[in-house]
């Protein structure tokens, strides 16, 4: 190394939280596909039990609302999953300008309870508008994902 050369300064690096993004067709199969994608990430992130079940239910409700809320069928919806420390954020983007509303469903009604469930299960939720339509998001407090966890055992196959 030359006498005039200097060692490169160490640059601080920021670690981005684990994130996954998907696009699903805006149809009745989207919620199932989104649930399966989320389950894969939950296993990878070692989020299990009640936390995993709550996350799957939250995402299912958000995706179902996005599909049914659009006045004219849009080609797709976007889903983004982000795990940061002890918070799992689920985002669903659609092309509708219509804001979601919590309804008081009657006992015999089949629909209308989605956001009530989201409100009950999520640590927080909300809506952000963008140039396409809106992003409805929900956050769920989970066990600290950075804490060491025992490895998951492989499923037993006879």
């Amino acid at each position: 190394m030359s006498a005039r050369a200097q060692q490169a300064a160490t640059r601080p690096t920021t670690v981005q939280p684990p994130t996954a993004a998907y696009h699903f067709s805006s149809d009745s199969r989207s919620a199932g596909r989104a649930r399966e994608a989320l389950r894969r990430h939950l296993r990878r992130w070692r989020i299990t039990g009640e936390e995993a079940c709550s996350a799957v239910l939250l995402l299912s409700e958000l995706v179902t609302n996005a599909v049914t809320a659009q006045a004219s069928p849009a080609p797709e919806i976007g889903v983004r999953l982000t795990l940061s420390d002890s918070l799992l954020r689920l985002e669903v983007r659609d092309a509708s300008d219509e804001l979601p509303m919590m309804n008081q469903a009657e006992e015999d009604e089949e629909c209308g309870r989605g956001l009530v469930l989201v409100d009950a299960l999520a640590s927080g939720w909300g809506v952000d508008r963008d140039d396409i339509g809106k992003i409805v998001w929900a956050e769920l407090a989970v066990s600290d994902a950075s804490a060491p966890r025992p490895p998951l055992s492989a499923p037993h196959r006879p």
Side-chain angles (χ1 to χ4, degrees):
M1 186 155 93
S2 160
R4 293 186 318 217
Q6 296 180 6
Q7 284 188 312
T10 305
R11 293 184 182 151
T13 58
T14 57
V15 177
Q16 296 297 321
T19 300
Y22 295 90
H23 293 276
F24 298 105
S25 58
S26 183
D27 61 35
S28 60
R29 298 171 296 190
S30 299
R33 290 177 177 149
R35 286 191 302 265
E36 184 52 40
L38 175 59
R39 284 185 187 110
R40 283 192 308 270
H41 288 285
L42 292 173
R43 284 190 298 270
R44 190 173 301 137
W45 296 335
R46 297 184 180 179
I47 297 172
T48 60
E50 188 175 326
E51 292 173 342
C53 291
S54 293
V56 169
L57 180 55
L58 284 169
L59 184 62
S60 186
E61 293 299 333
L62 296 180
V63 170
T64 299
N65 284 351
V67 170
T68 58
Q70 300 189 72
S72 61
E76 63 184 26
I77 59 168
V79 172
R80 183 179 165 111
L81 318 168
T82 306
L83 178 63
S84 178
D85 296 323
S86 58
L87 197 65
L88 176 64
R89 184 177 173 105
L90 310 167
E91 298 177 357
V92 177
R93 169 181 274 140
D94 65 54
S96 171
D97 290 337
E98 186 179 330
L99 294 176
M101 293 176 46
M102 282 203 303
N103 298 322
Q104 292 296 339
E106 298 296 323
E107 259 185 56
D108 59 342
E109 289 183 290
E110 293 182 21
C111 298
R113 294 175 182 82
L115 286 178
V116 173
L117 287 171
V118 170
D119 192 57
L121 292 174
S123 306
W125 71 276
V127 181
D128 298 324
R129 292 185 184 266
D130 65 7
D131 56 342
I132 295 171
K134 67 180 178 298
I135 299 169
V136 182
W137 55 268
E139 294 177 333
L140 181 65
V142 295
S143 301
D144 187 357
S146 63
R149 297 184 188 202
L152 298 175
S153 59
H156 173 67
R157 301 197 192 266

